[in-house]
Amino acid sequence: MHDFSCPLPSADFNHSRIQAGHGSGGKMTADLIRNIFQKYLISDGLAQGNDAAVLPIPDSTGRIAVTTDSHIVAPLFFPGGDIGRLAVCGTVNDLLTSGAVPVALTAGFILEEGFRISELERILKSMQMSAVEANVQIVAGDTKVVEKGRGDGLFITTAGFGWIRDDFQPQGDLAKPGDAVLVTGTVGDHGMAVLCARGELGFQSDIQSDTAPLNAIVEKLRQTAPSTHVLRDPTRGGLGTTLNEIAVQSAVSIEIDEQLVLVSPQVRSLCDLLGFDPLYVANEGKMIVILPEADAEAALSAIRSCKYGENAAIIGRVTSAARPGVLLKTALGTTRILDSLHGEMLPRIC
Amino acid sequence: MHDFSCPLPSADFNHSRIQAGHGSGGKMTADLIRNIFQKYLISDGLAQGNDAAVLPIPDSTGRIAVTTDSHIVAPLFFPGGDIGRLAVCGTVNDLLTSGAVPVALTAGFILEEGFRISELERILKSMQMSAVEANVQIVAGDTKVVEKGRGDGLFITTAGFGWIRDDFQPQGDLAKPGDAVLVTGTVGDHGMAVLCARGELGFQSDIQSDTAPLNAIVEKLRQTAPSTHVLRDPTRGGLGTTLNEIAVQSAVSIEIDEQLVLVSPQVRSLCDLLGFDPLYVANEGKMIVILPEADAEAALSAIRSCKYGENAAIIGRVTSAARPGVLLKTALGTTRILDSLHGEMLPRIC
């Protein structure tokens, strides 16, 4: 789910046609949403500006979390995952950011005529395995077919819902000065794995996507640090853009230390070669956790004990500031503004 | 939402690639679902085989209805509607078939590079107006962009949920011998309106799509005939295919009288000209209602008092039978089997 009410500061909006950058998850997407989508689609859920909307359940004290994501990743299969696993994990992780227990998903399939049914089977099997791992059921589905040349193999749109627990309610606007900022592992793996899988670089790599459901990590976190303020998965736009979204929503400044953000040597090398900054490369199995400093070490240990959390690290802290934003302390000891991604760096990464 | 557990009888499945007919909503779609999707996606929700899955809400006696639909209609604008109105109404109507009060929708947008933002605005405005009319909120959204030539302007996948009321619980497997079969208006309007809007026929028509949210009709029905057994909207595959689905699910025979099924003169003429049977043409603002005979007249009057229900009619009845299916009493006085649609008659109609 993209944050439809994301109030990122941006330049005037005057594009007359959709461009690749409008799907980046960065500033151009935020512009499109603020200037076009928000004019018409206004609701309590969207106004919350989080990755999942939280709504009351009638005749009950309970609340439901709801989210959706369309998946257009190319290619459909990449080291460490495929569009099916991506669709299930992306939606599960968005639900987890609200503190919900993910319960059920829906899946809409848009197939291109001529698509191999054997490939569809591989993808469905992967969805099934990912759903079992994430302990969710796929409860409703739909299948449509478009003519050859009017689609691209397969697009999958998943929606999901889960139940909110009273004792664990992180939200994007709750980051407080003094909080610790933690990331559950290395960054940039997913985006670089998909890029390599396109086969356009002229060399092989063994970079694996991190696509994974983070239920276990979030459950551990709930047990050890129920007062966690913010959970958000740094997908499109990467760590840099997602931290900016949180900074604006919570009206705080966030300072992170570049040397504390783990990047695998393979991802680092490839980014250096191609001129990419791993801080803006998409992740699909990582969570940003912002929580009171006092709980940070216990949370870190708990997360590190989980599958998918071995490389968790505290990377910075929240400071109060007149101007919300993200500051990066570089390896050279200097400090610079870490802005949101503007347009498109790696199209069709999720 | 397509019925992923639809157990229609069908020939052996041995296609190796996706064909247009797999998106028809008829037998080829059912084959794909039964032979491929059902191997992997198995859940209580899908096993119900209805247009919306119904699931329990924890720590509550309540239940939630969930559904999804992908929309690929071409062209995006047609007399009487557009892809935005279609997406909202289709999902609302699927929720209504379970007896739920529709509450909220999610929407995933897959945009093609170069798509005019002015057209996006028209569509969003239409979604907003339809959502207001149907009394639902769009609570979560997502936007993705694909390269020019990898999509077709805009696809929208909506998911929706609603709350089930204890006093009104129609289901596809509840049709009983002796029940009356009612349709809330003329059939074939939507499919023919979209076909004409493609501009390939070489003449103009004034056929309007019936795309509409049917909340008011279903609410009237709940008040006058709370014991209604089945509600289902005859979309892809039309009245004929949808009645067959119900016949199989409920293990009954359904007999309808061709002369009682209303078809507008314009739709009738165009179907005659093109060799289409209006009983297989998609509707987007109609509901099939199957209910005890004793309640039928009161329900009919109530539905006729509603906007979108003026042309409601009782078209037949449910009979017991050794072999579930649909029989059509023709205008000539003969009776023939009304089978499900096999492949694709009108592609990309919704």
Side-chain angles (χ1 to χ4, degrees), chain A residues 187-226:
Chain A
V187 302
D189 302 84
H190 175 71
M192 286 297 125
V194 173
L195 183 66
C196 289
R198 288 183 188 155
E200 295 163 352
L201 297 178
F203 55 83
Q204 300 274 311
S205 103
D206 55 358
I207 299 173
Q208 299 271 317
S209 165
D210 59 345
T211 306
L214 301 178
N215 311 56
I217 285 178
V218 173
E219 180 56 25
K220 276 277 186 190
L221 194 61
R222 186 183 72 85
Q223 292 166 9
T224 53

Side-chain angles (χ1 to χ4, degrees), chain A residues 20 78 122 160 176 211 276:
Chain A
F78 44 83
R122 275 179 68 192
K176 301 275 186 302
T211 306
F276 288 148

